[in-house]
Amino acid sequence: MYEDIINEIKSNLGENPDLNKQYLSLQIEKYSDHPYNKEIIKEISRMMWDCLSEDEKKEFIEISDNENPIMDILNDISYDIESGDYDVALDKLNNFMATFQAMFEDDKVSEYHFFTNPLEEILFNTYIGAEKTIRYIPDNQPLLDLYYIYGFLLLEKKQYEEAETYLKKAIKINPVSSRIILELCEIYKVHTYTYNRYFMHATDALKYAYYPQDIARCYRTLGYYYTEENMLETAFALFLYSMEFEMSPKAYAEISYIKSKNPEINLTLKESIEIIKGKNIQIGVNPFILNTLNELIEEYETNKLYNQTLYFLNLKFDITGDEKTLRKINDIKNIL
Protein backbone atom coordinates (compact mmCIF):
# COMPACT_ATOMS: atom_id res chain seq x y z
CA MET A 1 0.00 0.00 0.00
CA TYR A 2 2.70 2.47 1.03
CA GLU A 3 4.88 1.67 -2.00
CA ASP A 4 1.93 2.04 -4.40
CA ILE A 5 1.09 5.50 -3.03
CA ILE A 6 4.70 6.68 -3.24
CA ASN A 7 5.10 5.33 -6.78
CA GLU A 8 1.88 7.09 -7.87
CA ILE A 9 3.04 10.40 -6.39
CA LYS A 10 6.44 10.09 -8.11
CA SER A 11 4.81 9.26 -11.44
CA ASN A 12 2.89 12.55 -11.36
CA LEU A 13 5.98 14.71 -10.92
CA GLY A 14 7.02 16.76 -13.92
CA GLU A 15 9.93 18.94 -14.99
CA ASN A 16 8.73 22.17 -13.35
CA PRO A 17 10.05 22.35 -9.73
CA ASP A 18 7.50 24.98 -8.66
CA LEU A 19 4.54 22.94 -9.92
CA ASN A 20 6.04 19.85 -8.28
CA LYS A 21 6.25 21.66 -4.93
CA GLN A 22 2.62 22.72 -5.17
CA TYR A 23 1.54 19.20 -6.08
CA LEU A 24 3.56 17.67 -3.23
CA SER A 25 2.08 20.13 -0.73
CA LEU A 26 -1.40 18.97 -1.78
CA GLN A 27 -0.35 15.34 -1.32
CA ILE A 28 0.75 16.06 2.24
CA GLU A 29 -2.75 17.34 2.99
CA LYS A 30 -4.35 14.44 1.13
CA TYR A 31 -2.61 11.76 3.15
CA SER A 32 -2.57 13.53 6.53
CA ASP A 33 -5.09 11.05 7.97
CA HIS A 34 -3.76 7.94 6.24
CA PRO A 35 -2.58 5.03 8.49
CA TYR A 36 0.90 5.47 6.95
CA ASN A 37 0.71 9.28 7.10
CA LYS A 38 4.02 9.67 8.98
CA GLU A 39 5.93 7.52 6.49
CA ILE A 40 4.25 9.05 3.43
CA ILE A 41 4.86 12.63 4.58
CA LYS A 42 8.52 11.86 5.27
CA GLU A 43 8.98 10.54 1.72
CA ILE A 44 7.10 13.50 0.24
CA SER A 45 9.43 15.80 2.20
CA ARG A 46 12.41 14.08 0.56
CA MET A 47 10.82 14.65 -2.85
CA MET A 48 10.23 18.28 -1.91
CA TRP A 49 13.95 18.62 -1.09
CA ASP A 50 14.83 17.37 -4.56
CA CYS A 51 12.66 20.14 -6.00
CA LEU A 52 14.73 22.85 -4.34
CA SER A 53 17.43 24.69 -6.27
CA GLU A 54 21.02 24.44 -5.09
CA ASP A 55 20.78 27.98 -3.67
CA GLU A 56 17.60 27.08 -1.78
CA LYS A 57 19.24 23.94 -0.38
CA LYS A 58 22.29 25.92 0.68
CA GLU A 59 20.13 28.54 2.38
CA PHE A 60 18.16 25.85 4.21
CA ILE A 61 21.36 24.16 5.41
CA GLU A 62 22.75 27.49 6.66
CA ILE A 63 19.55 28.16 8.60
CA SER A 64 19.63 24.63 10.04
CA ASP A 65 23.26 25.05 11.10
CA ASN A 66 22.49 28.35 12.80
CA GLU A 67 19.47 26.89 14.59
CA ASN A 68 20.80 23.65 16.00
CA PRO A 69 19.49 23.09 19.54
CA ILE A 70 21.15 19.67 19.94
CA MET A 71 24.58 21.02 19.06
CA ASP A 72 23.98 24.08 21.24
CA ILE A 73 23.13 22.09 24.39
CA LEU A 74 26.01 19.67 23.88
CA ASN A 75 28.45 22.55 23.50
CA ASP A 76 26.94 24.20 26.57
CA ILE A 77 27.46 21.18 28.85
CA SER A 78 30.84 20.08 27.47
CA TYR A 79 32.82 22.25 29.93
CA ASP A 80 30.64 21.10 32.85
CA ILE A 81 31.36 17.46 32.03
CA GLU A 82 35.08 18.06 31.53
CA SER A 83 35.14 19.84 34.91
CA GLY A 84 33.29 16.99 36.60
CA ASP A 85 30.23 19.14 37.29
CA TYR A 86 27.83 16.35 36.38
CA ASP A 87 24.98 17.80 38.45
CA VAL A 88 25.10 21.07 36.53
CA ALA A 89 25.25 19.27 33.19
CA LEU A 90 22.35 16.99 34.13
CA ASP A 91 20.19 19.93 35.25
CA LYS A 92 20.75 21.63 31.91
CA LEU A 93 19.94 18.45 30.00
CA ASN A 94 16.84 17.77 32.09
CA ASN A 95 15.51 21.21 31.17
CA PHE A 96 16.40 20.69 27.52
CA MET A 97 14.83 17.21 27.28
CA ALA A 98 11.61 18.44 28.90
CA THR A 99 10.80 20.41 25.72
CA PHE A 100 12.84 18.46 23.15
CA GLN A 101 10.81 17.32 20.16
CA ALA A 102 11.73 13.77 19.14
CA MET A 103 13.31 13.51 15.71
CA PHE A 104 14.65 10.81 13.38
CA GLU A 105 12.50 8.13 14.98
CA ASP A 106 11.89 4.77 13.29
CA ASP A 107 8.57 4.35 11.51
CA LYS A 108 6.81 1.53 9.67
CA VAL A 109 9.10 1.63 6.63
CA SER A 110 12.33 3.32 7.77
CA GLU A 111 14.90 2.97 10.52
CA TYR A 112 17.36 5.74 11.40
CA HIS A 113 21.04 5.14 12.12
CA PHE A 114 24.29 6.97 12.57
CA PHE A 115 27.68 5.29 12.22
CA THR A 116 30.99 6.93 13.07
CA ASN A 117 32.73 5.34 10.10
CA PRO A 118 32.27 2.69 7.36
CA LEU A 119 33.71 0.00 9.66
CA GLU A 120 30.77 0.39 12.04
CA GLU A 121 28.28 0.25 9.18
CA ILE A 122 29.87 -2.97 7.90
CA LEU A 123 29.71 -4.45 11.42
CA PHE A 124 26.03 -3.51 11.60
CA ASN A 125 25.22 -5.03 8.21
CA THR A 126 27.18 -8.20 9.01
CA TYR A 127 26.03 -8.97 12.55
CA ILE A 128 22.64 -7.27 12.85
CA GLY A 129 21.18 -6.05 9.56
CA ALA A 130 18.35 -3.68 8.81
CA GLU A 131 14.73 -4.76 8.95
CA LYS A 132 13.52 -1.66 7.09
CA THR A 133 14.92 0.96 4.75
CA ILE A 134 17.94 2.63 6.36
CA ARG A 135 17.93 6.41 6.70
CA TYR A 136 21.02 8.18 7.94
CA ILE A 137 20.93 10.86 10.63
CA PRO A 138 22.92 13.90 9.42
CA ASP A 139 26.30 14.64 10.99
CA ASN A 140 25.07 18.05 12.15
CA GLN A 141 22.30 16.47 14.27
CA PRO A 142 24.25 14.54 16.96
CA LEU A 143 21.22 12.73 18.37
CA LEU A 144 23.36 9.72 19.27
CA ASP A 145 25.62 11.86 21.46
CA LEU A 146 22.63 13.54 23.08
CA TYR A 147 21.07 10.25 24.18
CA TYR A 148 24.39 8.69 25.18
CA ILE A 149 25.52 11.64 27.32
CA TYR A 150 22.09 11.99 28.91
CA GLY A 151 22.05 8.27 29.72
CA PHE A 152 25.57 8.48 31.14
CA LEU A 153 24.68 11.42 33.42
CA LEU A 154 21.49 9.73 34.60
CA LEU A 155 23.52 6.62 35.40
CA GLU A 156 25.98 8.69 37.42
CA LYS A 157 23.03 9.87 39.52
CA LYS A 158 21.83 6.26 39.92
CA GLN A 159 18.63 6.96 37.99
CA TYR A 160 18.89 3.52 36.45
CA GLU A 161 15.56 3.16 34.67
CA GLU A 162 15.80 6.59 33.03
CA ALA A 163 19.44 5.94 32.10
CA GLU A 164 18.51 2.61 30.51
CA THR A 165 15.76 4.28 28.46
CA TYR A 166 18.11 6.80 26.87
CA LEU A 167 21.04 4.45 26.42
CA LYS A 168 18.68 2.10 24.59
CA LYS A 169 17.65 5.00 22.36
CA ALA A 170 21.34 5.52 21.59
CA ILE A 171 21.88 1.81 20.92
CA LYS A 172 18.94 1.81 18.51
CA ILE A 173 20.72 4.49 16.49
CA ASN A 174 24.08 2.68 16.57
CA PRO A 175 23.68 -0.95 17.69
CA VAL A 176 27.42 -1.69 17.32
CA SER A 177 28.77 1.05 19.57
CA SER A 178 30.73 -0.88 22.18
CA ARG A 179 31.01 2.18 24.42
CA ILE A 180 27.24 2.58 24.68
CA ILE A 181 26.77 -1.16 25.23
CA LEU A 182 29.32 -1.03 28.05
CA GLU A 183 27.38 1.79 29.71
CA LEU A 184 24.31 -0.44 29.66
CA CYS A 185 26.46 -3.10 31.35
CA GLU A 186 27.07 -0.67 34.21
CA ILE A 187 23.31 -0.51 34.75
CA TYR A 188 22.92 -4.29 34.66
CA LYS A 189 25.80 -4.64 37.11
CA VAL A 190 23.78 -3.03 39.90
CA HIS A 191 20.17 -2.88 38.71
CA THR A 192 19.25 -6.43 37.75
CA TYR A 193 18.18 -9.73 39.25
CA THR A 194 20.77 -11.79 37.36
CA TYR A 195 23.99 -11.09 35.50
CA ASN A 196 22.78 -12.71 32.25
CA ARG A 197 22.17 -9.45 30.37
CA TYR A 198 25.38 -8.03 31.80
CA PHE A 199 27.42 -10.94 30.41
CA MET A 200 25.67 -10.99 27.02
CA HIS A 201 26.12 -7.25 26.52
CA ALA A 202 29.80 -7.47 27.50
CA THR A 203 30.47 -10.18 24.91
CA ASP A 204 28.61 -8.15 22.27
CA ALA A 205 30.68 -5.08 23.12
CA LEU A 206 33.87 -7.12 22.73
CA LYS A 207 32.73 -8.35 19.32
CA TYR A 208 32.31 -4.76 18.06
CA ALA A 209 35.20 -3.03 19.89
CA TYR A 210 38.02 -1.59 17.78
CA TYR A 211 39.70 0.85 20.19
CA PRO A 212 42.24 -0.64 22.66
CA GLN A 213 40.59 1.15 25.60
CA ASP A 214 37.21 -0.34 24.69
CA ILE A 215 38.66 -3.84 24.29
CA ALA A 216 40.35 -3.55 27.69
CA ARG A 217 37.13 -2.36 29.29
CA CYS A 218 35.28 -5.34 27.81
CA TYR A 219 37.72 -7.74 29.49
CA ARG A 220 37.45 -5.85 32.78
CA THR A 221 33.67 -6.02 32.53
CA LEU A 222 33.82 -9.76 31.96
CA GLY A 223 36.35 -10.04 34.78
CA TYR A 224 33.84 -8.47 37.16
CA TYR A 225 31.23 -11.03 36.08
CA TYR A 226 33.53 -13.95 36.91
CA THR A 227 34.50 -12.33 40.20
CA GLU A 228 30.84 -12.21 41.17
CA GLU A 229 30.47 -15.84 40.08
CA ASN A 230 33.41 -16.65 42.40
CA MET A 231 35.45 -17.98 39.47
CA LEU A 232 38.48 -16.05 40.61
CA GLU A 233 41.08 -17.66 38.38
CA THR A 234 39.11 -16.75 35.26
CA ALA A 235 38.53 -13.25 36.60
CA PHE A 236 42.27 -12.86 37.28
CA ALA A 237 43.05 -14.01 33.73
CA LEU A 238 40.66 -11.47 32.23
CA PHE A 239 41.97 -8.55 34.27
CA LEU A 240 45.56 -9.50 33.49
CA TYR A 241 44.87 -9.84 29.77
CA SER A 242 42.99 -6.53 29.70
CA MET A 243 46.27 -4.78 30.48
CA GLU A 244 47.61 -5.86 27.08
CA PHE A 245 45.30 -3.16 25.73
CA GLU A 246 45.25 -0.59 28.53
CA MET A 247 47.30 -0.31 31.73
CA SER A 248 44.34 0.57 33.90
CA PRO A 249 44.51 1.15 37.66
CA LYS A 250 41.11 -0.54 37.83
CA ALA A 251 42.60 -3.78 36.55
CA TYR A 252 45.45 -3.59 39.09
CA ALA A 253 42.94 -3.00 41.87
CA GLU A 254 40.83 -6.00 40.85
CA ILE A 255 43.89 -8.25 40.61
CA SER A 256 44.95 -7.14 44.09
CA TYR A 257 41.47 -7.90 45.40
CA ILE A 258 41.51 -11.40 43.86
CA LYS A 259 44.96 -12.07 45.35
CA SER A 260 43.66 -11.00 48.75
CA LYS A 261 40.91 -13.58 48.41
CA ASN A 262 43.20 -16.31 47.07
CA PRO A 263 46.96 -15.58 47.34
CA GLU A 264 47.80 -18.76 45.40
CA ILE A 265 46.46 -17.37 42.11
CA ASN A 266 49.41 -16.09 40.08
CA LEU A 267 48.94 -16.65 36.34
CA THR A 268 51.24 -15.81 33.45
CA LEU A 269 49.89 -14.05 30.38
CA LYS A 270 50.05 -17.29 28.38
CA GLU A 271 48.14 -19.18 31.07
CA SER A 272 45.57 -16.40 31.21
CA ILE A 273 44.96 -16.56 27.46
CA GLU A 274 44.43 -20.32 27.63
CA ILE A 275 41.87 -19.89 30.43
CA ILE A 276 40.00 -17.23 28.45
CA LYS A 277 39.98 -19.45 25.36
CA GLY A 278 38.61 -22.25 27.51
CA LYS A 279 35.61 -20.04 28.32
CA ASN A 280 35.00 -19.44 24.59
CA ILE A 281 35.69 -15.74 25.03
CA GLN A 282 37.13 -13.83 22.08
CA ILE A 283 40.88 -13.25 22.28
CA GLY A 284 41.88 -9.74 21.27
CA VAL A 285 40.12 -7.79 18.55
CA ASN A 286 37.50 -9.57 16.47
CA PRO A 287 39.36 -11.01 13.42
CA PHE A 288 36.52 -9.79 11.21
CA ILE A 289 37.37 -6.22 12.23
CA LEU A 290 41.03 -6.64 11.26
CA ASN A 291 40.07 -8.16 7.90
CA THR A 292 37.62 -5.33 7.26
CA LEU A 293 40.21 -2.71 8.20
CA ASN A 294 42.64 -4.26 5.70
CA GLU A 295 39.97 -4.19 2.97
CA LEU A 296 39.08 -0.57 3.71
CA ILE A 297 42.74 0.47 3.74
CA GLU A 298 43.33 -1.22 0.39
CA GLU A 299 40.19 0.28 -1.15
CA TYR A 300 40.94 3.85 -0.06
CA GLU A 301 44.59 3.65 -1.01
CA THR A 302 43.75 2.27 -4.46
CA ASN A 303 41.43 5.22 -5.00
CA LYS A 304 44.09 7.64 -3.69
CA LEU A 305 41.88 8.73 -0.81
CA TYR A 306 44.83 9.14 1.51
CA ASN A 307 43.15 10.85 4.47
CA GLN A 308 40.69 7.97 4.75
CA THR A 309 43.52 5.50 4.30
CA LEU A 310 45.46 7.14 7.13
CA TYR A 311 42.41 7.10 9.41
CA PHE A 312 41.97 3.33 9.11
CA LEU A 313 45.71 2.66 9.24
CA ASN A 314 45.80 4.46 12.60
CA LEU A 315 42.88 2.37 13.86
CA LYS A 316 44.71 -0.78 12.84
CA PHE A 317 47.99 0.31 14.42
CA ASP A 318 46.31 1.21 17.71
CA ILE A 319 45.05 -2.36 18.14
CA THR A 320 47.97 -4.25 16.63
CA GLY A 321 51.10 -2.15 17.17
CA ASP A 322 52.27 -3.65 13.89
CA GLU A 323 55.53 -2.11 12.61
CA LYS A 324 54.57 -2.67 8.97
CA THR A 325 51.40 -0.67 9.57
CA LEU A 326 53.43 2.10 11.21
CA ARG A 327 55.72 2.28 8.18
CA LYS A 328 52.65 2.52 5.96
CA ILE A 329 51.31 5.38 8.10
CA ASN A 330 54.57 7.28 7.66
CA ASP A 331 54.51 6.62 3.89
CA ILE A 332 50.99 8.04 3.60
CA LYS A 333 51.93 11.08 5.71
CA ASN A 334 54.78 11.78 3.31
CA ILE A 335 52.31 11.73 0.42
CA LEU A 336 50.08 14.19 2.25
Side-chain angles (χ1 to χ4, degrees):
M1 179 187 296
Y2 165 81
E3 289 81 4
D4 292 339
I5 292 171
I6 296 303
N7 289 334
E8 181 185 355
I9 293 172
K10 287 181 177 179
S11 70
N12 289 322
L13 294 174
E15 297 297 324
N16 188 315
D18 292 329
L19 291 178
N20 285 341
K21 283 186 277 188
Q22 293 176 23
Y23 167 71
L24 291 171
S25 296
L26 292 173
Q27 298 307 298
I28 289 175
E29 294 178 15
K30 177 180 177 180
Y31 291 104
S32 60
D33 295 324
H34 192 277
Y36 276 74
N37 67 319
K38 187 195 308 184
E39 292 78 12
I40 293 169
I41 290 170
K42 282 182 181 177
E43 189 58 40
I44 291 175
S45 298
R46 296 183 189 105
M47 296 182 211
M48 193 82 81
W49 173 261
D50 292 335
C51 295
L52 298 178
S53 67
E54 290 304 314
D55 287 341
E56 288 172 325
K57 289 179 181 178
K58 183 178 179 181
E59 182 181 357
F60 181 84
I61 291 170
E62 287 175 352
I63 292 171
S64 298
D65 286 342
N66 290 331
E67 298 178 4
N68 193 327
I70 298 178
M71 196 77 78
D72 290 344
I73 186 64
L74 292 179
N75 288 335
D76 185 30
I77 65 172
S78 62
Y79 178 78
D80 299 321
I81 293 174
E82 289 173 7
S83 303
D85 294 330
Y86 292 166
D87 288 343
V88 174
L90 182 57
D91 284 343
K92 290 178 180 179
L93 267 183
N94 280 335
N95 292 332
F96 176 82
M97 297 303 289
T99 58
F100 177 65
Q101 296 294 316
M103 56 198 302
F104 303 112
E105 291 196 323
D106 293 0
D107 55 43
K108 295 174 184 176
V109 298
S110 303
E111 55 186 79
Y112 289 83
H113 296 291
F114 177 84
F115 302 108
T116 306
N117 54 48
L119 171 61
E120 290 186 350
E121 187 168 2
I122 292 169
L123 285 169
F124 171 77
N125 290 330
T126 301
Y127 289 105
I128 298 172
E131 297 179 359
K132 307 170 188 175
T133 300
I134 293 182
R135 304 290 182 186
Y136 297 98
I137 298 173
D139 290 347
N140 68 341
Q141 297 293 336
L143 195 61
L144 177 71
D145 293 338
L146 176 68
Y147 290 151
Y148 170 62
I149 292 170
Y150 194 38
F152 166 78
L153 291 171
L154 288 166
L155 176 57
E156 288 293 309
K157 295 298 291 181
K158 297 182 171 54
Q159 298 180 35
Y160 298 119
E161 292 181 5
E162 295 89 345
E164 183 179 13
T165 295
Y166 283 96
L167 289 173
K168 282 185 172 179
K169 284 178 179 285
I171 282 293
K172 199 170 186 180
I173 293 172
N174 187 345
V176 298
S177 171
S178 58
R179 292 184 181 182
I180 301 173
I181 297 171
L182 288 168
E183 288 302 320
L184 274 173
C185 285
E186 293 300 314
I187 295 175
Y188 301 141
K189 180 193 286 187
V190 295
H191 192 63
T192 187
Y193 294 109
T194 72
Y195 286 105
N196 290 344
R197 282 192 298 177
Y198 178 85
F199 181 83
M200 291 171 61
H201 277 70
T203 54
D204 278 345
L206 181 58
K207 180 167 59 179
Y208 306 137
Y210 58 89
Y211 286 112
Q213 299 90 337
D214 292 343
I215 296 171
R217 187 178 172 189
C218 289
Y219 286 118
R220 293 198 302 268
T221 301
L222 289 166
Y224 178 85
Y225 169 82
Y226 282 102
T227 301
E228 291 299 302
E229 293 295 312
N230 203 34
M231 300 174 68
L232 297 183
E233 191 173 62
T234 302
F236 185 102
L238 286 159
F239 287 119
L240 182 66
Y241 186 55
S242 76
M243 290 193 289
E244 290 295 293
F245 301 92
E246 182 183 38
M247 301 297 286
S248 168
K250 293 180 180 179
Y252 279 112
E254 292 295 337
I255 287 173
S256 297
Y257 170 77
I258 292 170
K259 278 179 163 289
S260 71
K261 301 287 286 185
N262 187 346
E264 295 183 5
I265 297 178
N266 190 22
L267 301 170
T268 65
L269 178 60
K270 184 177 180 181
E271 290 169 337
S272 297
I273 291 172
E274 290 303 313
I275 289 172
I276 296 169
K277 284 181 180 177
K279 295 296 180 184
N280 293 317
I281 296 172
Q282 174 184 303
I283 299 296
V285 67
N286 182 350
F288 177 80
I289 288 177
L290 280 179
N291 291 335
T292 303
L293 283 174
N294 288 331
E295 291 170 3
L296 288 167
I297 290 165
E298 182 179 357
E299 177 186 346
Y300 286 122
E301 186 176 12
T302 300
N303 289 287
K304 301 186 186 316
L305 299 169
Y306 296 120
N307 284 315
Q308 291 91 330
T309 306
L310 188 61
Y311 173 81
F312 287 108
L313 280 168
N314 279 311
L315 285 183
K316 181 182 176 183
F317 179 73
D318 285 344
I319 53 179
T320 64
D322 177 51
E323 290 187 9
K324 184 177 178 181
T325 303
L326 181 58
R327 288 197 296 271
K328 192 74 174 177
I329 289 171
N330 291 329
D331 291 341
I332 296 296
K333 285 181 177 178
N334 288 333
I335 294 173
L336 295 172

